[in-house]
Amino acid sequence: MVMHNNHVVYSNRKHKIIKGDTVMVCVGKDKGKIGKVLKVKISKKINSIKLLIEGCAISTKHIKPTQNSPGRIEHKESYIDISNVAFYSKDASMCTKIGYRIIDGTKQRFAKAFNKVIIDN
């Protein structure tokens, strides 16, 4: 634990969901949607982990017209906090928590609900 500008920062905070995982959104307007994690954003200053998920939390941005380009409306994904999603297994078609286990000297992730090793992409 480290103090940074009057904020407590856990410099060794680990996240179990990584880029390429399939997750299900548990909270918000996109509740129940399933998507792939495109990017993981870790902010040590405010101690948060946010995920960019394919097809979830779509926001609209209006681009003002200029002399060179016409105006347009862009739709893109926004970040979702890691606490609002759960790992989704396509094999079992269900959400599960993730744990770590040491197998043959290597640390591997496994699904706690059905006790199966998760193969990283």
Side-chain angles (χ1 to χ4, degrees):
M1 180 170 69
V2 179
M3 291 295 288
H4 179 71
N5 293 340
N6 296 328
H7 293 285
V8 177
V9 177
Y10 295 94
S11 57
N12 60 352
R13 182 173 179 190
K14 297 177 183 175
H15 55 284
K16 296 178 180 179
I17 296 175
I18 60 173
K19 181 179 176 180
D21 283 348
T22 304
V23 295
M24 178 185 273
V25 180
C26 301
V27 178
K29 68 178 182 180
D30 293 323
K31 183 176 180 178
K33 282 191 180 179
I34 298 167
K36 185 178 175 184
V37 176
L38 302 175
K39 192 174 178 181
V40 178
K41 179 178 159 184
I42 302 170
S43 176
K44 290 186 179 182
K45 187 172 183 179
I46 58 173
N47 195 25
S48 71
I49 300 171
K50 299 197 180 269
L51 307 173
L52 193 66
I53 301 170
E54 182 178 45
C56 295
I58 302 293
S59 62
T60 305
K61 184 175 182 182
H62 296 266
I63 307 294
K64 193 173 184 178
T66 62
Q67 291 179 348
N68 301 333
S69 63
R72 62 187 184 277
I73 298 173
E74 288 184 354
H75 301 283
K76 65 177 193 173
E77 292 96 357
S78 299
Y79 285 94
I80 299 175
D81 196 81
I82 196 166
S83 65
N84 297 334
V85 299
F87 181 80
Y88 183 80
S89 174
K90 293 178 187 175
D91 300 335
S93 298
M94 63 183 289
C95 292
T96 180
K97 292 184 178 182
I98 298 174
Y100 286 105
R101 185 182 289 156
I102 297 175
I103 300 172
D104 298 328
T106 59
K107 188 175 178 181
Q108 294 183 342
R109 299 185 309 155
F110 75 99
K112 289 186 176 182
F114 44 91
N115 206 13
K116 185 177 175 186
V117 174
I118 299 168
I119 300 168
D120 295 332
N121 298 337

